[in-house]
Amino acid sequence: QVQLAESGGGLVQAGDSLRLSCAASGRTFSNYNMAWFRQAPGKEREFVARINRSGDNSYYADSVKGRFTISRDNAKNTVYLQMNSLKPEDTAIYYCAASYSYISADARFYSVWGQGTQVTVSS
């Protein structure tokens, strides 16, 4: 089973950009579908984006479509989330997640999670 570690979060102003990274352990990273979720204080975890094993199919929540891009580099065991035109409502802890068996926007189908990285967007 892979282990995940997010990085790249920080404090930015509205309209700025950030790129989050999720580094995975092991040699089987390419076998996993990957996704990003986020959770704001007092709110449920919500889906952000997902990408398939080969990296040629991605899907986004409507709230981030056109602004965020998910990508992966299987040679580097890393998945990325490029976030452009950030808004205050994007403020949350962002989690990387992996699913061996499914590709989904439902958190229940992801078996491995990172510890999260904080993204704060000021107005």
Side-chain angles (χ1 to χ4, degrees):
Q1 190 176 68
V2 299
Q3 295 183 349
L4 308 175
E6 303 94 336
S7 63
L11 174 63
V12 298
Q13 290 187 306
D16 285 353
S17 297
L18 279 175
R19 189 178 77 159
L20 306 183
S21 297
C22 175
S25 66
R27 301 174 64 185
T28 60
F29 174 71
S30 62
N31 295 137
Y32 288 83
N33 302 291
M34 302 296 299
W36 288 95
F37 293 80
R38 66 187 183 187
Q39 187 168 26
K43 298 182 179 180
E44 294 186 343
R45 190 166 298 182
E46 66 173 345
F47 168 78
V48 176
R50 56 85 168 159
I51 191 167
N52 69 337
R53 293 178 176 91
S54 61
D56 60 1
N57 182 272
S58 59
Y59 180 77
Y60 301 89
D62 288 341
S63 60
V64 307
K65 194 174 299 181
R67 300 188 298 120
F68 290 11
T69 302
I70 188 171
S71 62
R72 67 191 296 164
D73 187 338
N74 287 343
K76 296 182 178 180
N77 283 8
T78 303
V79 63
Y80 305 96
L81 185 68
Q82 178 66 46
M83 305 185 295
N84 298 327
S85 301
L86 283 162
K87 304 175 181 179
E89 50 263 45
D90 295 319
T91 296
I93 301 175
Y94 283 71
Y95 296 92
C96 179
S99 173
Y100 185 84
S101 301
Y102 304 98
I103 182 165
S104 178
D106 190 332
R108 296 179 300 167
F109 292 95
Y110 291 85
S111 58
V112 184
W113 295 81
Q115 292 296 111
T117 185
Q118 177 71 49
V119 173
T120 303
V121 185
S122 63
S123 60

